[in-house]
Structures are given as C-alpha cells and as structure tokens.
C-alpha cells in the first residue's frame, strides 16, 4: 500500500483555472499537488480559438458575465486583469495580437499558453498526478485543524486546502464530467442547473426547410432575446447551418436563451429598410429580391421572398404599402423559436454551476465548509464569447491562490507564536 502524502493544497482539474491556481500557490510557497484524470494536459486551451487560444479580452469586466449572483465576479476580475495576464505573456516572450472586439490570440499556437503555465508550475515546484482519477473525498476536523482526504489512483492524499477546478459539462469528448458538481453537493452546496452555452441553436425540420439550403451563408445581424435583466442583444456575424443557426451572434445569444423563448434577428441592423423600400417603390422597377440583396446575400434574399409567400418576380412598385411595411418589419425583426441547441457536444462553455452565494468572492472558499474552494467554469459565472471565460479562469484562480497563501501563512505564524509562548 502506498504511503499517504500530505500537501498544503490539492487542486483537482488541470485546465486553465487549475494550472494558474497551482502555479501561483506554489510560487507563494505552498506545497501543491495538481491532479487530473486526463491523459493530455489542458485540451480545452489547446483547441480554443482555432488552435491559437483566445486567452482573454482586453475589455473584460463584470458586465460581460452571466450569473445568478452577478456581483460575485467583480472582486476577482478587478484584482487580476487582462493587463496582468499580458504581463505574464511578456515575461515568457509569447507574441499575441488583437482581433475583433478586444479578443486577444496567440500569434503562434495555444501550445504557447500551455507550456507557459507548465513552466510556471515548475517554478512553484508543483507536484503532478496525471492521469489520475479521484475516487472519494472525505473531510475530518480535530483539535481545531481540518483536512481533506482523497483516495486516488496514485494513493491516499491528505491536504489542508482542496480546490475544485474541474470545469463544466461542455465538450465531453475531451473529458468533461460532472465530478465538480457532485463534490459540491456532497458538501451541501447548491448547484445552479448547468446548461449548454455559447452553442449553436436548432429549429424543427419544417420551420427550417426553406433555409436549410443556405448552409454556410453568413452575414452580420443584430440578435436579441429575453426581457429585463435576462435580455441580451448582440451585433455579430450569423452563420446558417443545415439544422439551424450558428456563428458568433448565435453563440453569444445562446447564453441568454432559455428553451421555449424566441430569438429576434435584425437582418440589416445599420439600415432603415422600411424607408428604403418606400423610396424604391417611388423610383424603381426592381424586383423585390434583387432590392433586398443590397443588404443580405442574394440567396437569402431569394429564400426570404419565397418564404414570405410572394412571387420571386415580384417588383417593389407593384406591392401595396401595407405589404411593404409588413415585409420591412419582418426583415428587421425576424422572430424564430429554436427547438433546442446542439447540446454539450458543441457548447463551448457551461451556463450555471456551483452557486456563488455559498462562496466568498475574494477567496473562492465555501463559507460553510472551511478549506474547500471552487474556481473557473465549475462556478456559476459564464462569460461572453471572445476570451472572457479564460479571463475568469485566470482571475478566480489567482484570487484563490493568494487567499490560500495568506491563510496558511497566518496559521503557521499563529502556531509558531503559540510555541514561543509555551517556551
């Protein structure tokens, strides 16, 4: 039987948040073990951003995140910003560039980020247990001290602090599981129902039949859904697929969408279609589809006119004002009700997770369960598309690591003071 190993911190999950937390905690002097069941390190980092890792967004702030407790993310995000992460990249001489709307990518490869985090862990003398499954977690408390006891493929591990960084349920083919949620429930925490986010939306076959042939077509639209605090609206690119809609616009709005809700598309968000149609009626003999092709791809204009019940040869000057007005309103407010999403297989992240009302926003520690922390995607904090979720991983991990270092240092100093008093 293998001997029990003791650590200051055990981190389960070697993704973005787990790696960052391990590196910082180790460099702050804590004895850290990092555990993951996967055979390949940080696969979600590796595949992100088309292999170049959209590692943060320069504009990241609390307004870019969704949660049942929206104020929770403010503290961590304020204390570790995108500029802080860029400083880390600079030290490792990793080149990067900015793309659309503040999104930052590696010039070369996502492997640069993985190697940087691996090297940071090495500086912190982090111990690795990978691949290694954790089978049970138990908690003991005696004489004012507490420990977590993990039974793993690598033997028995005892630790003062346990950090859960196992992520959500998105992309199960690279190892996503509900392990983190099960541990949360084991210790009495609520879990906000997880659901796929940043995911394509689907429509029933009969509704989508007129548009299925447009697969691969893209255009910029404004998409919206929801009401009040739950409302979302984005101007982004839309992509037609065989079964529905995708592209950045749909991935963004999917995080706000709930089953049964419609979504609304403005196919020409920068134009006054109604005014343009009435002007054309007075001055032009063009066919309606040809006219609409000024604002959308011709194939979509043709499908739109046909689905509206009008003749493909209909001319704008032949249509009554009522029909033009109705057409313009539909074009600028196309309302569709998805039948579902592409699910966990295609979701980039998870909406929901461990209820943050049970956690400290400054330490990521469970209020009622000393020494138990949750960081990254496993927590009910979901960022927009565009690097925001990685920034939450970095920020929550750093907040947790720093807090653990301060707490353990205080405990050690208190112990030493007690020994001095006795002597």
């Amino acid at each position: 039987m293998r001997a029990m190993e003791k650590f200051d911190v055990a981190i389960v999950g070697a993704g973005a948040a787990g790696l960052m937390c391990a590196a910082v905690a180790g460099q702050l002097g804590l004895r850290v073990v990092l555990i993951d069941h996967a055979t390949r390190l940080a696969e979600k980092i590796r595949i992100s951003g088309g292999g170049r890792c959209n590692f943060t967004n320069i504009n990241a702030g609390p307004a870019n995140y969704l949660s049942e407790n929206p104020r929770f993310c403010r503290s961590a995000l304020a204390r570790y910003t995108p500029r802080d992460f860029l400083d880390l990249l600079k030290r490792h001489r990793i080149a990067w560039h900015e793309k659309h709307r503040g999104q930052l990518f590696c010039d070369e490869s996502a492997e640069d980020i993985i190697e940087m985090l691996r090297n940071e862990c090495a500086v912190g003398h982090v111990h690795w247990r990978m691949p290694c499954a954790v089978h049970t977690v138990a908690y003991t408390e005696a004489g004012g001290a507490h420990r977590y006891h993990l039974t793993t493929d690598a033997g028995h591990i005892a630790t003062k602090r346990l950090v859960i960084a196992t992520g959500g349920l998105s992309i199960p083919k690279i190892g996503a599981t509900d392990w983190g949620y099960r541990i949360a429930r084991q210790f009495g925490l609520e879990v906000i129902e997880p659901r796929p986010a940043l995911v394509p939306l689907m429509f029933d076959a009969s509704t989508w039949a007129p548009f299925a042939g447009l697969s691969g077509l893209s255009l910029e639209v404004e998409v919206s859904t929801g009401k009040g605090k739950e409302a979302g609206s984005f101007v982004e690119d839309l992509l037609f697929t065989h079964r529905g809609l995708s592209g950045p616009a749909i991935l963004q709005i999917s995080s706000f969408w709930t089953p049964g809700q419609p979504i609304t598309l403005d196919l020409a968000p920068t134009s006054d279609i109604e005014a343009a149609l009435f002007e054309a009626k007075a001055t032009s003999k063009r066919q309606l589809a040809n006219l609409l092709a000024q604002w959308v791809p011709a194939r979509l204009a043709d499908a739109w006119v046909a689905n509206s019940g009008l003749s493909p040869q209909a001319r704008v000057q032949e249509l009554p004002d009522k029909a033009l007005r109705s057409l313009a309103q539909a074009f600028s407010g196309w309302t569709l009700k998805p039948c579902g999403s592409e699910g966990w297989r295609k979701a980039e992240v998870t909406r929901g997770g461990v209820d943050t009302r049970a956690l400290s926003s400054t330490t990521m520690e469970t209020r009622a369960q000393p020494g138990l922390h949750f960081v990254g995607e496993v927590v009910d904090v979901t960022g927009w598309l565009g690097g925001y979720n990685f920034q939450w991983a970095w920020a929550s991990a750093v907040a947790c690591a720093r807090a653990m270092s301060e707490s353990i240092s205080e405990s050690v100093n208190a112990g030493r003071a007690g020994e001095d008093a006795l002597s």
Side-chain angles (χ1 to χ4, degrees), residues 250-273:
I250 295 302
L251 299 186
Q252 291 282 33
I253 211 64
S254 70
S255 295
F256 293 80
W257 176 78
T258 56
Q261 272 188 338
I263 62 171
T264 300
L265 302 172
D266 184 343
L267 298 176
T270 61
S271 302
D272 185 340
I273 298 300

Side-chain angles (χ1 to χ4, degrees), residues 141-152:
E141 187 171 2
H146 66 263
R147 283 197 184 276
Y148 290 89
H149 301 268
L150 284 59
T151 56
T152 78

Side-chain angles (χ1 to χ4, degrees), residues 12-212:
V12 184
L19 283 164
M20 179 64 94
C21 190
V24 175
Q27 291 180 33
L28 289 173
L30 302 184
R31 179 174 160 82
V32 179
V33 61
L34 182 56
I35 309 167
D36 199 294
H37 70 283
T39 56
R40 200 174 187 201
L41 180 64
E43 189 68 5
K44 200 165 187 181
I45 294 178
R46 183 172 287 106
I47 67 174
S48 68
R52 290 195 175 182
C53 188
N54 180 193
F55 54 80
T56 191
N57 193 297
I58 200 65
N59 303 313
N64 307 113
Y65 294 85
L66 302 172
S67 174
E68 293 288 308
N69 180 20
R71 297 175 63 88
F72 178 82
C73 65
R74 291 185 177 184
S75 176
L77 291 171
R79 289 181 292 136
Y80 192 85
T81 70
R83 293 293 177 189
D84 293 315
F85 194 77
L86 290 177
D87 287 343
L88 181 60
L89 265 61
K90 184 177 181 180
R91 293 204 301 273
H92 287 263
R93 299 183 180 181
I94 296 174
W96 55 273
H97 59 278
E98 181 177 347
K99 292 180 73 174
H100 185 60
R101 302 179 192 275
Q103 300 172 20
L104 306 186
F105 291 78
C106 296
D107 281 358
E108 299 298 329
S109 169
E111 294 287 353
D112 292 342
I113 301 293
I114 297 172
E115 190 61 23
M116 176 189 75
L117 293 169
R118 192 200 302 270
N119 289 337
E120 288 288 307
C121 285
V123 173
H125 305 290
V126 172
H127 299 256
W128 293 83
R129 299 294 180 270
M130 182 180 178
C132 176
V134 179
H135 302 292
T136 64
V137 176
Y139 174 78
T140 60
E141 187 171 2
H146 66 263
R147 283 197 184 276
Y148 290 89
H149 301 268
L150 284 59
T151 56
T152 78
D153 289 344
H156 184 193
I157 292 173
T159 180
K160 298 173 184 176
R161 299 267 168 176
L162 175 62
V163 180
I164 308 301
T166 49
L169 299 174
S170 55
I171 323 181
K173 71 179 181 180
I174 62 172
T177 75
D178 67 345
W179 190 87
Y181 305 141
R182 285 186 274 127
I183 294 301
R185 294 187 178 106
Q186 175 183 330
F187 289 100
L189 278 70
E190 295 292 328
V191 175
I192 306 300
E193 182 180 3
R195 58 185 178 86
L198 302 185
V199 63
L201 298 177
M202 300 187 303
F203 302 87
D204 66 75
S206 59
T207 297
W208 202 242
F211 306 102

Side-chain angles (χ1 to χ4, degrees), residues 209-221:
F211 306 102
L214 301 178
S215 180
L217 183 148
S218 65
L219 71 157
E220 186 177 77
V221 303

